[in-house]
PDB file of all heavy atoms in Angstrom:
ATOM      1  N   SER A   1       7.438  26.183   5.413  1.00 78.00           N
ATOM      2  CA  SER A   1       8.301  27.361   5.625  1.00 78.00           C
ATOM      3  C   SER A   1       9.568  26.949   6.371  1.00 78.00           C
ATOM      4  O   SER A   1       9.500  26.508   7.512  1.00 78.00           O
ATOM      5  CB  SER A   1       7.551  28.409   6.415  1.00 78.00           C
ATOM      6  OG  SER A   1       8.439  29.463   6.783  1.00 78.00           O
ATOM      7  N   PRO A   2      10.749  27.181   5.756  1.00 73.00           N
ATOM      8  CA  PRO A   2      11.976  26.864   6.492  1.00 73.00           C
ATOM      9  C   PRO A   2      12.297  27.907   7.543  1.00 73.00           C
ATOM     10  O   PRO A   2      13.017  27.637   8.473  1.00 73.00           O
ATOM     11  CB  PRO A   2      13.009  26.845   5.399  1.00 73.00           C
ATOM     12  CG  PRO A   2      12.458  27.705   4.299  1.00 73.00           C
ATOM     13  CD  PRO A   2      10.972  27.581   4.363  1.00 73.00           C
ATOM     14  N   ALA A   3      11.722  29.073   7.405  1.00 76.00           N
ATOM     15  CA  ALA A   3      12.022  30.186   8.326  1.00 76.00           C
ATOM     16  C   ALA A   3      11.252  30.072   9.647  1.00 76.00           C
ATOM     17  O   ALA A   3      11.771  30.424  10.664  1.00 76.00           O
ATOM     18  CB  ALA A   3      11.689  31.517   7.668  1.00 76.00           C
ATOM     19  N   ARG A   4      10.045  29.513   9.593  1.00 79.00           N
ATOM     20  CA  ARG A   4       9.252  29.476  10.832  1.00 79.00           C
ATOM     21  C   ARG A   4       8.263  28.326  10.729  1.00 79.00           C
ATOM     22  O   ARG A   4       7.391  28.275   9.906  1.00 79.00           O
ATOM     23  CB  ARG A   4       8.493  30.791  10.972  1.00 79.00           C
ATOM     24  CG  ARG A   4       7.886  30.981  12.328  1.00 79.00           C
ATOM     25  CD  ARG A   4       7.419  32.370  12.534  1.00 79.00           C
ATOM     26  NE  ARG A   4       5.995  32.352  12.778  1.00 79.00           N
ATOM     27  CZ  ARG A   4       5.260  33.399  12.755  1.00 79.00           C
ATOM     28  NH1 ARG A   4       5.764  34.570  12.434  1.00 79.00           N
ATOM     29  NH2 ARG A   4       3.981  33.321  13.023  1.00 79.00           N
ATOM     30  N   THR A   5       8.410  27.398  11.659  1.00 79.00           N
ATOM     31  CA  THR A   5       7.482  26.250  11.707  1.00 79.00           C
ATOM     32  C   THR A   5       6.264  26.640  12.473  1.00 79.00           C
ATOM     33  O   THR A   5       6.384  27.097  13.607  1.00 79.00           O
ATOM     34  CB  THR A   5       8.198  25.025  12.389  1.00 79.00           C
ATOM     35  OG1 THR A   5       9.374  24.762  11.690  1.00 79.00           O
ATOM     36  CG2 THR A   5       7.269  23.826  12.427  1.00 79.00           C
ATOM     37  N   PRO A   6       5.082  26.472  11.862  1.00 81.00           N
ATOM     38  CA  PRO A   6       3.831  26.804  12.597  1.00 81.00           C
ATOM     39  C   PRO A   6       3.649  25.901  13.822  1.00 81.00           C
ATOM     40  O   PRO A   6       4.122  24.746  13.829  1.00 81.00           O
ATOM     41  CB  PRO A   6       2.735  26.554  11.572  1.00 81.00           C
ATOM     42  CG  PRO A   6       3.388  26.416  10.238  1.00 81.00           C
ATOM     43  CD  PRO A   6       4.788  26.021  10.511  1.00 81.00           C
ATOM     44  N   SER A   7       2.949  26.413  14.817  1.00 87.00           N
ATOM     45  CA  SER A   7       2.642  25.629  15.994  1.00 87.00           C
ATOM     46  C   SER A   7       1.792  24.433  15.594  1.00 87.00           C
ATOM     47  O   SER A   7       1.141  24.407  14.543  1.00 87.00           O
ATOM     48  CB  SER A   7       1.901  26.475  17.041  1.00 87.00           C
ATOM     49  OG  SER A   7       0.580  26.745  16.503  1.00 87.00           O
ATOM     50  N   PRO A   8       1.722  23.409  16.456  1.00 88.00           N
ATOM     51  CA  PRO A   8       0.859  22.250  16.172  1.00 88.00           C
ATOM     52  C   PRO A   8      -0.610  22.680  15.897  1.00 88.00           C
ATOM     53  O   PRO A   8      -1.260  22.112  15.039  1.00 88.00           O
ATOM     54  CB  PRO A   8       0.999  21.341  17.407  1.00 88.00           C
ATOM     55  CG  PRO A   8       2.370  21.676  17.906  1.00 88.00           C
ATOM     56  CD  PRO A   8       2.524  23.168  17.674  1.00 88.00           C
ATOM     57  N   ALA A   9      -1.110  23.636  16.692  1.00 91.00           N
ATOM     58  CA  ALA A   9      -2.491  24.082  16.471  1.00 91.00           C
ATOM     59  C   ALA A   9      -2.675  24.722  15.112  1.00 91.00           C
ATOM     60  O   ALA A   9      -3.688  24.430  14.422  1.00 91.00           O
ATOM     61  CB  ALA A   9      -2.873  25.072  17.596  1.00 91.00           C
ATOM     62  N   VAL A  10      -1.720  25.532  14.688  1.00 89.00           N
ATOM     63  CA  VAL A  10      -1.821  26.185  13.358  1.00 89.00           C
ATOM     64  C   VAL A  10      -1.670  25.149  12.252  1.00 89.00           C
ATOM     65  O   VAL A  10      -2.386  25.173  11.262  1.00 89.00           O
ATOM     66  CB  VAL A  10      -0.752  27.318  13.221  1.00 89.00           C
ATOM     67  CG1 VAL A  10      -0.723  27.857  11.796  1.00 89.00           C
ATOM     68  CG2 VAL A  10      -1.107  28.481  14.151  1.00 89.00           C
ATOM     69  N   ARG A  11      -0.730  24.189  12.421  1.00 89.00           N
ATOM     70  CA  ARG A  11      -0.567  23.106  11.448  1.00 89.00           C
ATOM     71  C   ARG A  11      -1.891  22.349  11.284  1.00 89.00           C
ATOM     72  O   ARG A  11      -2.291  22.056  10.178  1.00 89.00           O
ATOM     73  CB  ARG A  11       0.572  22.211  11.813  1.00 89.00           C
ATOM     74  CG  ARG A  11       1.943  22.841  11.707  1.00 89.00           C
ATOM     75  CD  ARG A  11       3.078  21.922  12.127  1.00 89.00           C
ATOM     76  NE  ARG A  11       3.336  20.899  11.131  1.00 89.00           N
ATOM     77  CZ  ARG A  11       4.030  21.047  10.010  1.00 89.00           C
ATOM     78  NH1 ARG A  11       4.470  22.225   9.724  1.00 89.00           N
ATOM     79  NH2 ARG A  11       4.222  20.069   9.189  1.00 89.00           N
ATOM     80  N   GLY A  12      -2.498  22.008  12.403  1.00 91.00           N
ATOM     81  CA  GLY A  12      -3.744  21.301  12.374  1.00 91.00           C
ATOM     82  C   GLY A  12      -4.819  22.073  11.619  1.00 91.00           C
ATOM     83  O   GLY A  12      -5.588  21.519  10.837  1.00 91.00           O
ATOM     84  N   ALA A  13      -4.882  23.377  11.921  1.00 91.00           N
ATOM     85  CA  ALA A  13      -5.891  24.235  11.236  1.00 91.00           C
ATOM     86  C   ALA A  13      -5.606  24.294   9.741  1.00 91.00           C
ATOM     87  O   ALA A  13      -6.571  24.250   8.935  1.00 91.00           O
ATOM     88  CB  ALA A  13      -5.859  25.620  11.876  1.00 91.00           C
ATOM     89  N   LEU A  14      -4.338  24.373   9.361  1.00 91.00           N
ATOM     90  CA  LEU A  14      -4.020  24.422   7.909  1.00 91.00           C
ATOM     91  C   LEU A  14      -4.421  23.086   7.258  1.00 91.00           C
ATOM     92  O   LEU A  14      -4.949  23.102   6.138  1.00 91.00           O
ATOM     93  CB  LEU A  14      -2.540  24.694   7.756  1.00 91.00           C
ATOM     94  CG  LEU A  14      -2.087  26.117   8.067  1.00 91.00           C
ATOM     95  CD1 LEU A  14      -0.581  26.242   8.120  1.00 91.00           C
ATOM     96  CD2 LEU A  14      -2.665  27.123   7.066  1.00 91.00           C
ATOM     97  N   TYR A  15      -4.102  21.968   7.898  1.00 92.00           N
ATOM     98  CA  TYR A  15      -4.496  20.680   7.280  1.00 92.00           C
ATOM     99  C   TYR A  15      -6.029  20.549   7.204  1.00 92.00           C
ATOM    100  O   TYR A  15      -6.511  20.028   6.201  1.00 92.00           O
ATOM    101  CB  TYR A  15      -3.906  19.516   8.064  1.00 92.00           C
ATOM    102  CG  TYR A  15      -2.440  19.316   7.791  1.00 92.00           C
ATOM    103  CD1 TYR A  15      -1.458  19.433   8.760  1.00 92.00           C
ATOM    104  CD2 TYR A  15      -1.996  19.010   6.479  1.00 92.00           C
ATOM    105  CE1 TYR A  15      -0.130  19.234   8.515  1.00 92.00           C
ATOM    106  CE2 TYR A  15      -0.648  18.833   6.213  1.00 92.00           C
ATOM    107  CZ  TYR A  15       0.261  18.935   7.206  1.00 92.00           C
ATOM    108  OH  TYR A  15       1.611  18.758   6.918  1.00 92.00           O
ATOM    109  N   ARG A  16      -6.758  21.015   8.203  1.00 92.00           N
ATOM    110  CA  ARG A  16      -8.228  20.910   8.140  1.00 92.00           C
ATOM    111  C   ARG A  16      -8.750  21.811   7.004  1.00 92.00           C
ATOM    112  O   ARG A  16      -9.661  21.426   6.269  1.00 92.00           O
ATOM    113  CB  ARG A  16      -8.837  21.361   9.478  1.00 92.00           C
ATOM    114  CG  ARG A  16      -8.708  20.271  10.532  1.00 92.00           C
ATOM    115  CD  ARG A  16      -9.563  20.598  11.771  1.00 92.00           C
ATOM    116  NE  ARG A  16      -9.163  21.851  12.450  1.00 92.00           N
ATOM    117  CZ  ARG A  16      -8.106  21.983  13.264  1.00 92.00           C
ATOM    118  NH1 ARG A  16      -7.356  20.932  13.582  1.00 92.00           N
ATOM    119  NH2 ARG A  16      -7.821  23.140  13.843  1.00 92.00           N
ATOM    120  N   MET A  17      -8.142  22.986   6.834  1.00 90.00           N
ATOM    121  CA  MET A  17      -8.560  23.864   5.777  1.00 90.00           C
ATOM    122  C   MET A  17      -8.300  23.213   4.410  1.00 90.00           C
ATOM    123  O   MET A  17      -9.166  23.205   3.525  1.00 90.00           O
ATOM    124  CB  MET A  17      -7.846  25.239   5.816  1.00 90.00           C
ATOM    125  CG  MET A  17      -8.288  26.172   4.728  1.00 90.00           C
ATOM    126  SD  MET A  17      -7.247  27.649   4.527  1.00 90.00           S
ATOM    127  CE  MET A  17      -5.732  26.912   3.928  1.00 90.00           C
ATOM    128  N   LEU A  18      -7.099  22.657   4.260  1.00 93.00           N
ATOM    129  CA  LEU A  18      -6.788  21.967   2.985  1.00 93.00           C
ATOM    130  C   LEU A  18      -7.758  20.859   2.684  1.00 93.00           C
ATOM    131  O   LEU A  18      -8.235  20.698   1.575  1.00 93.00           O
ATOM    132  CB  LEU A  18      -5.355  21.403   3.031  1.00 93.00           C
ATOM    133  CG  LEU A  18      -4.206  22.411   2.916  1.00 93.00           C
ATOM    134  CD1 LEU A  18      -2.875  21.757   3.248  1.00 93.00           C
ATOM    135  CD2 LEU A  18      -4.181  23.030   1.536  1.00 93.00           C
ATOM    136  N   ALA A  19      -8.077  20.071   3.698  1.00 93.00           N
ATOM    137  CA  ALA A  19      -9.000  18.963   3.512  1.00 93.00           C
ATOM    138  C   ALA A  19     -10.377  19.390   3.121  1.00 93.00           C
ATOM    139  O   ALA A  19     -11.102  18.650   2.412  1.00 93.00           O
ATOM    140  CB  ALA A  19      -9.064  18.086   4.822  1.00 93.00           C
ATOM    141  N   GLY A  20     -10.768  20.599   3.538  1.00 93.00           N
ATOM    142  CA  GLY A  20     -12.093  21.079   3.253  1.00 93.00           C
ATOM    143  C   GLY A  20     -12.234  21.882   1.950  1.00 93.00           C
ATOM    144  O   GLY A  20     -13.335  22.242   1.558  1.00 93.00           O
ATOM    145  N   LEU A  21     -11.130  22.111   1.252  1.00 93.00           N
ATOM    146  CA  LEU A  21     -11.184  22.856   0.009  1.00 93.00           C
ATOM    147  C   LEU A  21     -11.843  22.033  -1.073  1.00 93.00           C
ATOM    148  O   LEU A  21     -11.467  20.844  -1.276  1.00 93.00           O
ATOM    149  CB  LEU A  21      -9.809  23.316  -0.447  1.00 93.00           C
ATOM    150  CG  LEU A  21      -9.106  24.390   0.371  1.00 93.00           C
ATOM    151  CD1 LEU A  21      -7.720  24.579  -0.116  1.00 93.00           C
ATOM    152  CD2 LEU A  21      -9.910  25.705   0.309  1.00 93.00           C
ATOM    153  N   PRO A  22     -12.771  22.608  -1.840  1.00 94.00           N
ATOM    154  CA  PRO A  22     -13.318  21.879  -2.985  1.00 94.00           C
ATOM    155  C   PRO A  22     -12.238  21.505  -3.959  1.00 94.00           C
ATOM    156  O   PRO A  22     -11.379  22.331  -4.277  1.00 94.00           O
ATOM    157  CB  PRO A  22     -14.317  22.856  -3.592  1.00 94.00           C
ATOM    158  CG  PRO A  22     -14.560  23.924  -2.591  1.00 94.00           C
ATOM    159  CD  PRO A  22     -13.318  23.936  -1.705  1.00 94.00           C
ATOM    160  N   GLY A  23     -12.243  20.326  -4.475  1.00 94.00           N
ATOM    161  CA  GLY A  23     -11.300  19.913  -5.491  1.00 94.00           C
ATOM    162  C   GLY A  23      -9.985  19.272  -4.908  1.00 94.00           C
ATOM    163  O   GLY A  23      -9.251  18.712  -5.710  1.00 94.00           O
ATOM    164  N   VAL A  24      -9.786  19.391  -3.600  1.00 96.00           N
ATOM    165  CA  VAL A  24      -8.572  18.706  -3.060  1.00 96.00           C
ATOM    166  C   VAL A  24      -8.813  17.210  -3.097  1.00 96.00           C
ATOM    167  O   VAL A  24      -9.871  16.702  -2.750  1.00 96.00           O
ATOM    168  CB  VAL A  24      -8.272  19.160  -1.620  1.00 96.00           C
ATOM    169  CG1 VAL A  24      -7.192  18.334  -0.989  1.00 96.00           C
ATOM    170  CG2 VAL A  24      -7.828  20.648  -1.631  1.00 96.00           C
ATOM    171  N   ARG A  25      -7.837  16.484  -3.607  1.00 96.00           N
ATOM    172  CA  ARG A  25      -7.951  15.028  -3.708  1.00 96.00           C
ATOM    173  C   ARG A  25      -6.695  14.341  -3.238  1.00 96.00           C
ATOM    174  O   ARG A  25      -5.604  14.927  -3.285  1.00 96.00           O
ATOM    175  CB  ARG A  25      -8.291  14.618  -5.157  1.00 96.00           C
ATOM    176  CG  ARG A  25      -7.182  14.846  -6.120  1.00 96.00           C
ATOM    177  CD  ARG A  25      -7.626  14.654  -7.558  1.00 96.00           C
ATOM    178  NE  ARG A  25      -6.473  14.594  -8.449  1.00 96.00           N
ATOM    179  CZ  ARG A  25      -5.728  15.610  -8.816  1.00 96.00           C
ATOM    180  NH1 ARG A  25      -5.983  16.846  -8.370  1.00 96.00           N
ATOM    181  NH2 ARG A  25      -4.728  15.468  -9.662  1.00 96.00           N
ATOM    182  N   SER A  26      -6.878  13.115  -2.798  1.00 96.00           N
ATOM    183  CA  SER A  26      -5.749  12.303  -2.409  1.00 96.00           C
ATOM    184  C   SER A  26      -5.096  11.718  -3.632  1.00 96.00           C
ATOM    185  O   SER A  26      -5.742  11.260  -4.561  1.00 96.00           O
ATOM    186  CB  SER A  26      -6.234  11.171  -1.503  1.00 96.00           C
ATOM    187  OG  SER A  26      -5.184  10.277  -1.242  1.00 96.00           O
ATOM    188  N   LEU A  27      -3.752  11.707  -3.600  1.00 95.00           N
ATOM    189  CA  LEU A  27      -2.991  11.016  -4.632  1.00 95.00           C
ATOM    190  C   LEU A  27      -2.608   9.643  -4.175  1.00 95.00           C
ATOM    191  O   LEU A  27      -1.985   8.875  -4.901  1.00 95.00           O
ATOM    192  CB  LEU A  27      -1.740  11.802  -5.003  1.00 95.00           C
ATOM    193  CG  LEU A  27      -1.946  13.228  -5.542  1.00 95.00           C
ATOM    194  CD1 LEU A  27      -0.599  13.915  -5.709  1.00 95.00           C
ATOM    195  CD2 LEU A  27      -2.727  13.173  -6.860  1.00 95.00           C
ATOM    196  N   GLY A  28      -2.923   9.325  -2.914  1.00 96.00           N
ATOM    197  CA  GLY A  28      -2.507   8.090  -2.336  1.00 96.00           C
ATOM    198  C   GLY A  28      -1.017   8.039  -2.080  1.00 96.00           C
ATOM    199  O   GLY A  28      -0.420   9.087  -1.865  1.00 96.00           O
ATOM    200  N   THR A  29      -0.432   6.909  -2.139  1.00 96.00           N
ATOM    201  CA  THR A  29       0.990   6.754  -1.917  1.00 96.00           C
ATOM    202  C   THR A  29       1.726   6.990  -3.283  1.00 96.00           C
ATOM    203  O   THR A  29       1.409   6.338  -4.254  1.00 96.00           O
ATOM    204  CB  THR A  29       1.373   5.387  -1.377  1.00 96.00           C
ATOM    205  OG1 THR A  29       0.622   5.181  -0.143  1.00 96.00           O
ATOM    206  CG2 THR A  29       2.856   5.263  -1.113  1.00 96.00           C
ATOM    207  N   VAL A  30       2.649   7.957  -3.282  1.00 95.00           N
ATOM    208  CA  VAL A  30       3.413   8.291  -4.467  1.00 95.00           C
ATOM    209  C   VAL A  30       4.879   8.370  -4.008  1.00 95.00           C
ATOM    210  O   VAL A  30       5.215   8.102  -2.829  1.00 95.00           O
ATOM    211  CB  VAL A  30       2.942   9.666  -5.064  1.00 95.00           C
ATOM    212  CG1 VAL A  30       1.544   9.561  -5.569  1.00 95.00           C
ATOM    213  CG2 VAL A  30       3.110  10.779  -4.038  1.00 95.00           C
ATOM    214  N   ARG A  31       5.754   8.775  -4.937  1.00 94.00           N
ATOM    215  CA  ARG A  31       7.176   8.948  -4.610  1.00 94.00           C
ATOM    216  C   ARG A  31       7.474  10.434  -4.695  1.00 94.00           C
ATOM    217  O   ARG A  31       7.012  11.174  -5.556  1.00 94.00           O
ATOM    218  CB  ARG A  31       8.036   8.182  -5.569  1.00 94.00           C
ATOM    219  CG  ARG A  31       7.855   6.684  -5.443  1.00 94.00           C
ATOM    220  CD  ARG A  31       9.179   5.977  -5.409  1.00 94.00           C
ATOM    221  NE  ARG A  31       8.942   4.548  -5.274  1.00 94.00           N
ATOM    222  CZ  ARG A  31       9.247   3.885  -4.147  1.00 94.00           C
ATOM    223  NH1 ARG A  31       9.708   4.491  -3.116  1.00 94.00           N
ATOM    224  NH2 ARG A  31       9.026   2.592  -4.082  1.00 94.00           N
ATOM    225  N   ASP A  32       8.287  10.900  -3.727  1.00 93.00           N
ATOM    226  CA  ASP A  32       8.728  12.305  -3.789  1.00 93.00           C
ATOM    227  C   ASP A  32       9.867  12.434  -4.774  1.00 93.00           C
ATOM    228  O   ASP A  32      10.273  11.437  -5.367  1.00 93.00           O
ATOM    229  CB  ASP A  32       9.077  12.805  -2.343  1.00 93.00           C
ATOM    230  CG  ASP A  32      10.469  12.333  -1.868  1.00 93.00           C
ATOM    231  OD1 ASP A  32      11.118  11.493  -2.538  1.00 93.00           O
ATOM    232  OD2 ASP A  32      10.872  12.823  -0.814  1.00 93.00           O
ATOM    233  N   PRO A  33      10.387  13.608  -5.033  1.00 91.00           N
ATOM    234  CA  PRO A  33      11.435  13.786  -6.038  1.00 91.00           C
ATOM    235  C   PRO A  33      12.711  13.006  -5.760  1.00 91.00           C
ATOM    236  O   PRO A  33      13.491  12.737  -6.632  1.00 91.00           O
ATOM    237  CB  PRO A  33      11.700  15.282  -6.024  1.00 91.00           C
ATOM    238  CG  PRO A  33      10.428  15.907  -5.579  1.00 91.00           C
ATOM    239  CD  PRO A  33       9.862  14.946  -4.587  1.00 91.00           C
ATOM    240  N   LEU A  34      12.897  12.592  -4.485  1.00 94.00           N
ATOM    241  CA  LEU A  34      14.089  11.781  -4.130  1.00 94.00           C
ATOM    242  C   LEU A  34      13.796  10.280  -4.204  1.00 94.00           C
ATOM    243  O   LEU A  34      14.655   9.477  -3.847  1.00 94.00           O
ATOM    244  CB  LEU A  34      14.609  12.179  -2.736  1.00 94.00           C
ATOM    245  CG  LEU A  34      15.084  13.607  -2.618  1.00 94.00           C
ATOM    246  CD1 LEU A  34      15.511  13.910  -1.178  1.00 94.00           C
ATOM    247  CD2 LEU A  34      16.214  13.919  -3.555  1.00 94.00           C
ATOM    248  N   GLY A  35      12.562   9.941  -4.547  1.00 95.00           N
ATOM    249  CA  GLY A  35      12.213   8.524  -4.696  1.00 95.00           C
ATOM    250  C   GLY A  35      11.650   7.889  -3.429  1.00 95.00           C
ATOM    251  O   GLY A  35      11.402   6.664  -3.393  1.00 95.00           O
ATOM    252  N   ARG A  36      11.428   8.648  -2.405  1.00 95.00           N
ATOM    253  CA  ARG A  36      10.935   8.098  -1.115  1.00 95.00           C
ATOM    254  C   ARG A  36       9.425   8.025  -1.184  1.00 95.00           C
ATOM    255  O   ARG A  36       8.767   8.883  -1.776  1.00 95.00           O
ATOM    256  CB  ARG A  36      11.330   9.015   0.041  1.00 95.00           C
ATOM    257  CG  ARG A  36      12.830   9.208   0.166  1.00 95.00           C
ATOM    258  CD  ARG A  36      13.136  10.299   1.205  1.00 95.00           C
ATOM    259  NE  ARG A  36      12.626  11.580   0.757  1.00 95.00           N
ATOM    260  CZ  ARG A  36      12.808  12.750   1.391  1.00 95.00           C
ATOM    261  NH1 ARG A  36      13.520  12.764   2.509  1.00 95.00           N
ATOM    262  NH2 ARG A  36      12.336  13.850   0.910  1.00 95.00           N
ATOM    263  N   PRO A  37       8.821   7.030  -0.518  1.00 96.00           N
ATOM    264  CA  PRO A  37       7.364   6.945  -0.480  1.00 96.00           C
ATOM    265  C   PRO A  37       6.801   8.146   0.287  1.00 96.00           C
ATOM    266  O   PRO A  37       7.374   8.613   1.274  1.00 96.00           O
ATOM    267  CB  PRO A  37       7.066   5.690   0.293  1.00 96.00           C
ATOM    268  CG  PRO A  37       8.349   4.906   0.304  1.00 96.00           C
ATOM    269  CD  PRO A  37       9.474   5.881   0.130  1.00 96.00           C
ATOM    270  N   ALA A  38       5.701   8.698  -0.259  1.00 96.00           N
ATOM    271  CA  ALA A  38       5.061   9.830   0.359  1.00 96.00           C
ATOM    272  C   ALA A  38       3.550   9.694   0.163  1.00 96.00           C
ATOM    273  O   ALA A  38       3.100   8.959  -0.669  1.00 96.00           O
ATOM    274  CB  ALA A  38       5.525  11.145  -0.304  1.00 96.00           C
ATOM    275  N   VAL A  39       2.808  10.421   1.006  1.00 96.00           N
ATOM    276  CA  VAL A  39       1.376  10.542   0.841  1.00 96.00           C
ATOM    277  C   VAL A  39       1.094  11.857   0.155  1.00 96.00           C
ATOM    278  O   VAL A  39       1.556  12.912   0.641  1.00 96.00           O
ATOM    279  CB  VAL A  39       0.644  10.456   2.206  1.00 96.00           C
ATOM    280  CG1 VAL A  39      -0.813  10.669   2.035  1.00 96.00           C
ATOM    281  CG2 VAL A  39       0.945   9.110   2.900  1.00 96.00           C
ATOM    282  N   GLY A  40       0.379  11.846  -0.936  1.00 96.00           N
ATOM    283  CA  GLY A  40       0.179  13.013  -1.720  1.00 96.00           C
ATOM    284  C   GLY A  40      -1.243  13.533  -1.688  1.00 96.00           C
ATOM    285  O   GLY A  40      -2.180  12.704  -1.692  1.00 96.00           O
ATOM    286  N   VAL A  41      -1.403  14.854  -1.702  1.00 96.00           N
ATOM    287  CA  VAL A  41      -2.653  15.487  -1.940  1.00 96.00           C
ATOM    288  C   VAL A  41      -2.431  16.567  -3.001  1.00 96.00           C
ATOM    289  O   VAL A  41      -1.331  17.089  -3.167  1.00 96.00           O
ATOM    290  CB  VAL A  41      -3.310  16.137  -0.660  1.00 96.00           C
ATOM    291  CG1 VAL A  41      -3.680  15.052   0.347  1.00 96.00           C
ATOM    292  CG2 VAL A  41      -2.369  17.138  -0.041  1.00 96.00           C
ATOM    293  N   ALA A  42      -3.518  16.849  -3.731  1.00 96.00           N
ATOM    294  CA  ALA A  42      -3.318  17.806  -4.868  1.00 96.00           C
ATOM    295  C   ALA A  42      -4.623  18.569  -5.092  1.00 96.00           C
ATOM    296  O   ALA A  42      -5.702  18.177  -4.693  1.00 96.00           O
ATOM    297  CB  ALA A  42      -2.947  17.062  -6.130  1.00 96.00           C
TER     298      ALA A  42
END
């Protein structure tokens, strides 16, 4: 969200929720649309 950055506690909770969702998988190291290395999940 460009309008409001969540607090570190909320960000942590969101990442934990994402990691616990069935079907979420790591893409490993990929490139973002600008060609920069990124870590992807899908």
Side-chain angles (χ1 to χ4, degrees):
S1 172
R4 192 166 121 193
T5 303
S7 70
V10 170
R11 290 178 73 79
L14 289 168
Y15 283 119
R16 284 190 300 279
M17 181 191 68
L18 285 169
L21 289 174
V24 170
R25 68 190 192 285
S26 171
L27 299 174
T29 303
V30 296
R31 296 226 179 251
D32 78 352
L34 298 177
R36 302 171 296 185
V39 175
V41 294

